[in-house]
Amino acid sequence: MDKNLKRMATMQRMQVTGLELFYKNGYYNTSVDDILKELSLSKGAFYYHFDSKEDFFTQIIENLLVRKVYSMLIEPIEGHDNPLELITNCFENALETAVHNELDFGFALNNFITEFNGRNEKIMKHLNDILKVWEVNLVSTIQKGKFNNHIDRHVDAEGVALFLMSSYLGVRTLMAESCPSARKYRFMSQLRQYFKALEIKQSTF
Amino acid sequence: MDKNLKRMATMQRMQVTGLELFYKNGYYNTSVDDILKELSLSKGAFYYHFDSKEDFFTQIIENLLVRKVYSMLIEPIEGHDNPLELITNCFENALETAVHNELDFGFALNNFITEFNGRNEKIMKHLNDILKVWEVNLVSTIQKGKFNNHIDRHVDAEGVALFLMSSYLGVRTLMAESCPSARKYRFMSQLRQYFKALEIKQSTF
DNA sequence: ACTTGAACCGACTGGCCAGTCGGTTTTGTT
DNA sequence: AACAAAACCGACTGGCCAGTCGGTTCAAGT
């Protein structure tokens, strides 16, 4: 582990730069050489550390994407406060990074899913796993909210989770397209609107 | 116009097949030869009718995508009935085609936007125009609903339109990934839930 | 100083693909 | 039939790119 320090450092550098470029230009539009040029490294170094471009990407998912999605979209909603508030704040923060054009891992996830959907089963499996974790955590957070009387007990937790994930992924696509700031603001307003429908009264189905 | 009949027919065939393959495999992952093979046509035929792959795709957008999005997502919400009902039915139908794995033009739009975002300004312009038309029509439908007392007059029409577009694009991504039928059902339930919050009371902002 | 293996270099291969171009066939016109 | 234009053919070019491989450099141990 100590001897592997240099190895780890190089691999890490490659992965970070790789994710950046894959995020910006897409997987298929980013050549291994593009990444290597950025780092002043050579093909030899790359294939010394990774088996293939696909293997490289898989490791990026496991080492970077999973963790970041976790820390940005999952951890912030764990807690005993009102889940609707937690989720609101979480989305607010996540979308704020989007406004500043920073690397948004939720969006990266969305892009990669779109890019690999129906084209690369192996990679899709990894991406789906992340979605699954997100979904499961949303559902359990909402269930908890029902127990604690923050959320009406008739609401369908799975449905809400799906709706939240959908609208988040969708708005990120639209924010990338134009007026991110205004759209973030409008989106958050509507989210609050939607949450009101989940709060107290009897309804759902 | 009469003399051009064969020309038109061939171009049409190419475009229809092109859209299918671009939809299935993505633009960059579909070679011109792939499309030609499908049609038993040659490179010569292709470049006789189109200037470039990009020109070809642009014409597909203008001739097929625009019209289909219009007929599937815009026309159905024009009318004097309750806009919330119109939109509900429209989404219901649109998502139903998705369940059957048919070519869904709303989804195609979503995929192409993701694929070209930040990578091809020229094509993005065309795609954005479609989104804009969709948005404008949603907004005016909602405004009309406010006038006709179907929708609370405090609601932010632009916000609702954005939220609807977002959630639609997002759920399509998630439906493609797994359990489309169940997700469609859940999504529609939540959409109705959200619409309830827009119906009568004072709120918004 | 010498050895050894990890880390890295970069020229090269083979395949794919957008676009070209000289040629052939098909179609319509006279 | 004769001709011209439209439609189509397919071999070829040049560039890109994933992956290979024989070689060099560097660092640690002895």
Side-chain angles (χ1 to χ4, degrees), chain B residues 32-33 36 41-48:
Chain B
V32 172
D33 282 320
L36 264 9
L41 286 171
S42 69
K43 272 281 175 65
F46 182 85
Y47 283 96
Y48 175 75

Side-chain angles (χ1 to χ4, degrees), chain A residues 24-25 28-29 111 114 117 119 128 131 135 159 162 166 170-171 176-177 183 190 193-194 201 203-204, chain B residues 24-25 28-29 111 114 117 119 128 131 135 159 162 166 170-171 176-177 183 190 193-194 197 201 203-204:
Chain A
K24 211 198 299 174
N25 308 317
Y28 291 111
N29 271 313
N111 288 354
T114 303
N117 210 334
R119 286 153 213 167
N128 281 334
L131 281 181
E135 189 181 8
L162 174 69
S166 297
V171 80
E177 183 248 303
R183 286 187 168 172
Q190 294 305 311
Q193 196 71 13
Y194 168 61
K201 301 196 168 171
S203 43
T204 316
Chain B
K24 212 198 297 177
N25 308 317
Y28 293 111
N29 270 314
N111 287 355
T114 304
N117 211 335
R119 287 153 212 168
N128 282 334
L131 281 182
E135 188 181 9
L162 174 69
S166 297
V171 81
E177 182 248 304
R183 286 187 166 172
Q190 295 305 312
Q193 196 72 12
Y194 168 61
K201 299 194 169 171
S203 45
T204 315

Side-chain angles (χ1 to χ4, degrees), chain A residues 22-26 28-29 107 110-115 117-119 124 128 131-132 135 155-156 158-160 162-163 165-174 176-179 182-187 189-194 196-198 201-205, chain B residues 22-26 28-29 107 110-115 117-119 124 128 131-132 135 155-160 162-163 165-174 176-179 182-187 189-191 193-194 196-198 201-205:
Chain A
F22 287 144
Y23 173 68
K24 211 198 299 174
N25 308 317
Y28 291 111
N29 271 313
F107 188 42
N110 180 53
N111 288 354
F112 293 140
I113 287 170
T114 303
E115 188 167 8
N117 210 334
R119 286 153 213 167
M124 273 308 288
N128 281 334
L131 281 181
K132 203 83 210 162
E135 189 181 8
V155 311
D156 169 27
E158 278 88 4
V160 174
L162 174 69
F163 202 61
M165 293 167 70
S166 297
S167 58
Y168 181 83
L169 294 181
V171 80
R172 279 302 286 117
T173 302
L174 295 175
E177 183 248 303
S178 67
C179 18
R183 286 187 168 172
K184 177 202 151 194
Y185 179 80
R186 278 184 185 146
F187 177 82
S189 293
Q190 294 305 311
L191 187 68
R192 278 184 266 267
Q193 196 71 13
Y194 168 61
K196 277 187 192 162
L198 309 178
K201 301 196 168 171
Q202 82 290 3
S203 43
T204 316
F205 172 89
Chain B
F22 286 144
Y23 173 68
K24 212 198 297 177
N25 308 317
Y28 293 111
N29 270 314
F107 188 40
N110 180 53
N111 287 355
F112 293 140
I113 288 171
T114 304
E115 188 166 8
N117 211 335
R119 287 153 212 168
M124 273 308 288
N128 282 334
L131 281 182
K132 204 83 209 160
E135 188 181 9
V155 312
D156 169 26
E158 279 86 4
V160 174
L162 174 69
F163 202 62
M165 293 167 70
S166 297
S167 58
Y168 182 82
L169 294 181
V171 81
R172 278 303 285 115
T173 302
L174 295 176
E177 182 248 304
S178 67
C179 20
R183 286 187 166 172
K184 177 200 151 194
Y185 178 79
R186 279 186 185 143
F187 176 82
S189 292
Q190 295 305 312
L191 186 68
Q193 196 72 12
Y194 168 61
K196 276 187 192 163
L198 308 178
K201 299 194 169 171
Q202 81 292 1
S203 45
T204 315
F205 180 81

Side-chain angles (χ1 to χ4, degrees), chain B residues 33-87:
Chain B
D33 282 320
D34 290 340
I35 298 161
L36 264 9
K37 202 193 302 168
E38 193 85 7
L39 295 165
S40 303
L41 286 171
S42 69
K43 272 281 175 65
F46 182 85
Y47 283 96
Y48 175 75
H49 292 296
F50 302 99
D51 292 343
S52 66
K53 190 184 177 186
E54 189 175 312
D55 166 55
F56 176 59
F57 188 72
T58 306
Q59 293 202 37
I60 287 180
I61 297 176
E62 294 305 317
N63 292 328
L64 299 180
L65 206 56
V66 171
R67 289 157 208 243
K68 291 295 183 171
V69 167
Y70 200 90
S71 70
M72 281 209 65
L73 296 172
I74 296 177
E75 249 175 32
I77 65 170
E78 286 175 345
H80 295 282
D81 300 332
N82 185 345
L84 300 182
E85 275 177 29
L86 289 174
I87 293 169

